[in-house]
Amino acid sequence: MILFDRPEAGERAVLVHLDLHAVSEKDELNEFKELVISAGVEPVVVITGARRTPDSRYFVGTGKAEEIRDMVEREEANVVLVNHELSPVQERNLEGLLKCRVLDRTGLILDIFAQRARSHEGKLQVELAQLQHLSTRLVRGWTHLERQKGGIGLRGPGETQLETDRRLLNARIKQLKSRLNKVRKQREQGRRGRKRAGLPTVSLVGYTNAGKSTLFNQLTKASVYVADQLFATLDPTLRRLSLPDKQPIVLADTVGFIRHLPHDLVESFRSTLQETEEADLLVHVVDASSEDRMVNIEQVNKVLEEIEADDCPQIEIYNKIDLMEGVMPHIERDENGRPARVWISAMRDEGMELVLEAVAERLQAERVIEQVCLSPQQGRLHARLYALGAVLHEKVMADGYWLMDLDLPRQTWDGLCKHEALADYILLSDHDPCLAAGGEAQ
């Protein structure tokens, strides 16, 4: 059960945006308009203003709130959308003054996600985010019932309607988290299976509407939904494909990021975002034609840091060069000669072979192949290497030593060297003391 109703087709909205800093936030306003259109709402007028700090009562100040009220009546709007985060009190006060529904930026994004969710998991994640957002705003809807139950047949422990609703809401949130934990475990099983099969995972990330799904479809010949709108993709899609060196990989298309992504969404979609967190390589798709591309790159990297995926190796794909003049598909390399940036047009299917070439080269460079020898006392490390799917081959020596051929991502290798001193067990040669201590292989 989704507790936020989705806006109906043809709904008219008054948009409200304040510049809270000295620098103009025009870019954020343009993005907010795109969000509103993506939600299926018609923006009839935009009201802007400037303040040093938000007003505690109406966020926009009394005079500006009255201006919004007059505009709502004149335009016959039935919803006011505010491009900021409102407190429950501010939202309630505005609704009381404007006599119509008020949604802040978070509520709008949640509504778009509710429209886009198609899979069972996606619907669970959206509902959890909505309920967590709603739990702080319950008082808004139940102020008329904020009194003790009474009357014949109703006298009892004295639980208010608000308390009853909070209890039911918390029970539903607990149930959703439990079900999503089961989904997370299923995803973890799938990831472990891919690791045992030696399948690297490459995850597409990027700002919303950067062209990730178009690129995904071109590379995998899939038919993922594509549209020129924000958050066209919500449910993750995984496909297997082969690189030019014949290495099979799993490519994951994921939800796009945006400025001020609601924290509740990040938390609710953590099981989905784990595909990004545990990927062997991130393909960061950038809209090269956007004037805000550097800001968008920074915002994506902030979200990656929040989900602890910022250490993952990354290639930037500068997409939409068909909207630029004089730019041809090509690969840019870093100071070490590794592919760092690929310029392409996914819409025109230009540069796809360069993307696959760069991914294959980076995956090869980001892997470590070593032979180690562990003593029987390193049983925990031995088990962990198997759990990571890093063991290609193993020999058990006469004295119980393990001679192991490993193939694992450099990021994982560096972590094991740091926390488990794995580098100390590298087999240096056929005359290594480990072989002498272990005797002949069984």
Side-chain angles (χ1 to χ4, degrees):
M1 177 186 66
I2 300 293
L3 293 187
F4 280 173
D5 292 331
R6 187 163 56 87
E8 300 173 359
E11 194 161 13
R12 297 165 60 82
V14 171
L15 311 190
V16 178
H17 173 83
L18 290 187
D19 287 339
L20 296 174
H21 309 287
V23 180
S24 172
E25 299 181 355
K26 179 181 177 182
D27 296 334
E28 289 202 19
L29 177 56
N30 290 336
E31 182 178 88
F32 185 58
K33 291 179 183 177
E34 290 185 41
L35 280 171
V36 173
I37 294 171
S38 294
V41 180
E42 178 189 358
V44 293
V45 67
V46 179
I47 296 178
T48 59
R51 288 183 65 91
R52 290 189 176 181
T53 58
D55 178 68
S56 59
R57 186 179 184 188
Y58 291 125
F59 186 85
V60 294
T62 304
K64 185 64 69 173
E66 291 173 352
E67 178 186 344
I68 296 170
R69 180 190 60 194
D70 295 341
M71 193 63 68
V72 168
E73 293 175 356
R74 193 185 82 183
E75 298 292 339
E76 297 182 349
N78 40 23
V79 63
V80 171
L81 302 174
V82 183
N83 189 24
H84 304 276
E85 187 86 18
L86 297 178
S87 71
V89 172
Q90 289 166 340
E91 197 169 306
R92 183 178 74 243
N93 290 341
L94 280 172
E95 286 188 340
L97 176 69
L98 305 178
K99 301 295 188 275
C100 72
R101 198 155 45 90
V102 175
L103 273 182
D104 63 1
R105 182 184 175 89
T106 297
L108 176 63
I109 293 176
L110 287 171
D111 185 89
I112 295 173
F113 271 53
Q115 295 183 50
R116 302 285 190 270
R118 293 290 179 270
S119 70
H120 175 66
E121 178 188 3
K123 291 176 180 177
L124 289 177
Q125 291 169 327
V126 171
E127 184 180 355
L128 176 60
Q130 287 183 319
L131 292 180
Q132 289 175 330
H133 181 68
L134 181 62
S135 63
T136 63
R137 286 160 162 74
L138 269 183
V139 67
R140 178 186 60 169
W142 294 105
T143 48
H144 64 294
L145 294 171
E146 187 62 28
R147 58 181 183 269
Q148 300 297 95
K149 292 178 181 177
I152 297 175
L154 293 177
R155 296 185 182 93
E159 185 177 45
T160 66
Q161 179 65 53
L162 176 60
E163 290 166 344
T164 302
D165 229 54
R166 273 210 184 105
R167 177 168 50 80
L168 294 174
L169 197 66
N170 289 333
R172 179 60 176 163
I173 288 175
K174 185 177 180 181
Q175 182 186 29
L176 286 171
K177 286 183 176 180
S178 175
R179 292 167 69 178
L180 282 171
N181 278 336
K182 291 181 181 178
V183 173
R184 179 177 54 82
K185 290 177 181 177
Q186 291 171 351
R187 285 193 175 275
E188 286 177 354
Q189 288 177 347
R191 279 190 290 270
R192 284 197 297 268
R194 293 196 295 270
K195 285 183 178 180
R196 284 195 297 269
L199 285 175
T201 298
V202 177
S203 184
L204 297 179
V205 299
Y207 209 75
T208 182
N209 204 28
K212 296 182 298 300
S213 295
T214 303
L215 175 60
F216 182 86
N217 286 341
Q218 294 286 15
L219 294 176
T220 64
K221 308 307 177 187
S223 55
V224 170
Y225 175 70
V226 174
D228 186 17
Q229 60 186 19
L230 304 185
F231 298 119
T233 301
L234 182 58
D235 299 312
T237 307
L238 284 75
R239 292 289 187 275
R240 179 170 172 162
L241 76 152
S242 295
L243 298 176
D245 60 2
K246 306 301 182 185
Q247 180 186 9
I249 66 169
V250 172
L251 187 66
D253 186 21
T254 60
V255 63
F257 301 149
I258 198 170
R259 289 186 185 94
H260 315 306
L261 191 65
H263 184 71
D264 287 340
L265 272 180
V266 175
E267 283 300 310
S268 300
F269 278 74
R270 189 158 292 277
S271 61
T272 298
L273 294 173
Q274 271 191 304
E275 297 293 351
T276 297
E277 182 183 340
E278 300 188 12
D280 297 285
L281 179 67
L282 298 182
V283 173
H284 183 169
V285 183
V286 179
D287 181 354
S289 66
S290 172
E291 296 179 357
D292 303 322
R293 70 186 186 198
M294 299 312 297
V295 176
N296 294 347
I297 290 172
E298 182 182 346
Q299 292 296 324
V300 171
N301 288 331
K302 280 184 179 179
V303 178
L304 291 175
E305 184 178 354
E306 187 173 349
I307 64 174
E308 299 177 352
D310 52 319
D311 291 334
C312 189
Q314 186 181 123
I315 295 179
E316 290 180 350
I317 304 296
Y318 273 44
N319 188 27
K320 303 188 181 182
I321 61 171
D322 53 289
L323 302 178
M324 307 170 69
E325 292 185 6
V327 181
M328 300 296 293
H330 66 281
I331 296 178
E332 286 186 20
R333 297 180 178 272
D334 60 18
E335 62 275 9
N336 299 316
R338 299 178 304 178
R341 190 174 294 119
V342 187
W343 296 74
I344 67 159
S345 171
M347 180 66 70
R348 294 186 178 178
D349 195 15
E350 296 175 355
M352 298 302 102
E353 70 286 348
L354 298 179
V355 174
L356 295 176
E357 176 187 331
V359 168
E361 192 173 333
R362 283 297 298 268
L363 280 176
Q364 189 62 35
E366 297 296 341
R367 296 197 73 79
V368 174
I369 298 176
E370 287 285 1
Q371 192 175 49
V372 299
C373 187
L374 303 183
S375 71
Q377 286 71 40
Q378 273 93 46
R380 186 172 62 85
L381 177 56
H382 176 268
R384 186 173 181 187
L385 290 170
Y386 267 99
L388 291 169
V391 182
L392 294 176
H393 186 255
E394 178 188 273
K395 288 182 180 179
V396 182
M397 313 303 285
D399 291 344
Y401 280 73
W402 292 294
L403 188 62
M404 310 175 76
D405 294 321
L406 305 181
D407 179 5
L408 67 170
R410 182 169 299 279
Q411 180 184 6
T412 306
W413 169 267
D414 291 343
L416 290 171
C417 289
K418 180 179 179 180
H419 301 291
E420 304 280 0
L422 183 59
D424 294 345
Y425 308 117
I426 294 176
L427 193 66
L428 300 177
S429 69
D430 292 340
H431 303 291
D432 192 284
C434 170
L435 287 176
E440 295 297 327
Q442 291 182 342

